[in-house]
Amino acid sequence: MNAKTAKILDGKALAQKIQTELTTQIQALQPQIGRPPGLAVLMVGDNPASAAYVRNKERACTKVGIASFGKNFPADATQAEVAQAIQDLNEDERVDGILVQLPLPNHLDSVALLHQIDPNKDADGLHPVNMGRLVRGESGLRSCTPAGVIRMLQEYQISLQGKQAVVVGRSILVGKPLALMLLEADATVTIAHSRSHNLAAITQTADILIAAVGRPNMITAQMVKPDAVVIDVGINRIIDYEGNSRLVGDVDFESVQEVAELLTPVPGGVGPMTVAMLLHNTVWSYSQKVNG
């Protein structure tokens, strides 16, 4: 038994805590607004992973008291059909959040559809208007996964001020918005990616290391500064020699837990936080009906 193993950051427990807070908030707001908050998840086709995610989101909605207005389209749905559904939801008074479940079939232009969502109903926080608000440090809807990471760091009282934060990955879903949020919290931020030279030399400088590249076990113990905080955003399904599949992150959990101070597991780390922040965004939009 090694002398030291990292403390685990429990995203599942924190997500449940957030859901409890949201339930209380909804119960307080509902008499003033006269209806529950509403979230619409649009899905095209029958990708099993997407279907599982959507079921998970709808179950979480039911648990906190959010009404679901989901819509499933056949795989051959046209751009015009999905666009019309978004337009209808933009105008529907009962709906506070709209989410298009990605990935979409190749014949659809997902960017054009995301752009069509009313920025104030953009539950995923991916609309250019909300991205712009983040860049400017204005309040608005934030991308769910990065917001979940920040909320987790706050919960565990991990100070970001003046710390070296390295984000490995530059996607519009996680890497870029997360770097901006870390900057907003006064961290010194480096964004690295698969084409960075001497990646290990960069990651070894990190007090807070966040992996969001989608490559199984890419971050090894040698790449981690001793006593760093390591956040694993990756979710990769791998098949072992016996043909069994399991989920692993971008971080090699076994080796890194002997070096890091704090570490998120996969599953049970960032994943549950993404759904919790989706619900949080929906309730935030809903609460604007009173404040706004």
Side-chain angles (χ1 to χ4, degrees), residues 44-117:
V44 183
D46 48 12
N47 175 329
S50 290
Y53 283 131
V54 171
R55 275 198 307 278
N56 187 9
K57 285 166 185 170
E58 287 176 346
R59 270 204 302 272
C61 280
T62 306
K63 205 169 144 191
V64 301
I66 294 173
S68 286
F69 296 92
K71 199 167 161 79
N72 280 18
F73 295 89
D76 59 359
T78 64
Q79 185 84 11
E81 284 171 321
V82 184
Q84 186 57 55
I86 292 172
Q87 198 47 47
D88 294 344
L89 291 165
N90 282 342
E91 291 163 16
D92 190 330
E93 294 280 308
R94 303 166 302 165
V95 174
D96 303 285
I98 303 169
L99 165 80
V100 176
Q101 183 66 43
L102 302 173
L104 290 172
N106 291 335
H107 70 281
L108 295 175
D109 180 348
S110 58
V111 173
L113 292 170
L114 290 174
H115 284 197
Q116 199 167 351
I117 296 171

Side-chain angles (χ1 to χ4, degrees), residues 47-208:
N47 175 329
S50 290
Y53 283 131
V54 171
R55 275 198 307 278
N56 187 9
K57 285 166 185 170
E58 287 176 346
R59 270 204 302 272
C61 280
T62 306
K63 205 169 144 191
V64 301
I66 294 173
S68 286
F69 296 92
K71 199 167 161 79
N72 280 18
F73 295 89
D76 59 359
T78 64
Q79 185 84 11
E81 284 171 321
V82 184
Q84 186 57 55
I86 292 172
Q87 198 47 47
D88 294 344
L89 291 165
N90 282 342
E91 291 163 16
D92 190 330
E93 294 280 308
R94 303 166 302 165
V95 174
D96 303 285
I98 303 169
L99 165 80
V100 176
Q101 183 66 43
L102 302 173
L104 290 172
N106 291 335
H107 70 281
L108 295 175
D109 180 348
S110 58
V111 173
L113 292 170
L114 290 174
H115 284 197
Q116 199 167 351
I117 296 171
D118 175 346
N120 296 320
K121 293 189 176 191
D122 168 31
D124 242 351
L126 295 176
H127 192 283
V129 168
N130 288 319
M131 286 288 184
R133 286 170 179 160
L134 171 59
V135 171
R136 294 179 59 88
E138 295 169 4
S139 77
L141 293 160
R142 300 284 191 249
S143 313
C144 298
T145 301
V149 169
I150 296 291
R151 176 66 201 266
M152 195 186 260
L153 293 169
Q154 288 166 343
E155 181 71 18
Y156 282 91
Q157 295 172 347
I158 297 158
S159 164
L160 294 171
Q161 201 172 6
K163 297 282 180 68
Q164 291 286 344
V166 174
V167 180
V168 186
R170 51 178 166 180
S171 75
I172 198 69
L173 284 170
V174 181
K176 285 176 185 164
L178 184 49
L180 288 163
M181 290 178 197
L182 290 162
L183 210 49
E184 202 172 29
D186 296 328
T188 300
V189 183
T190 303
I191 304 179
H193 44 82
S194 57
R195 297 216 169 94
S196 299
H197 292 287
N198 299 336
L199 184 60
I202 299 169
T203 57
Q204 282 162 359
T205 66
D207 302 311
I208 293 140

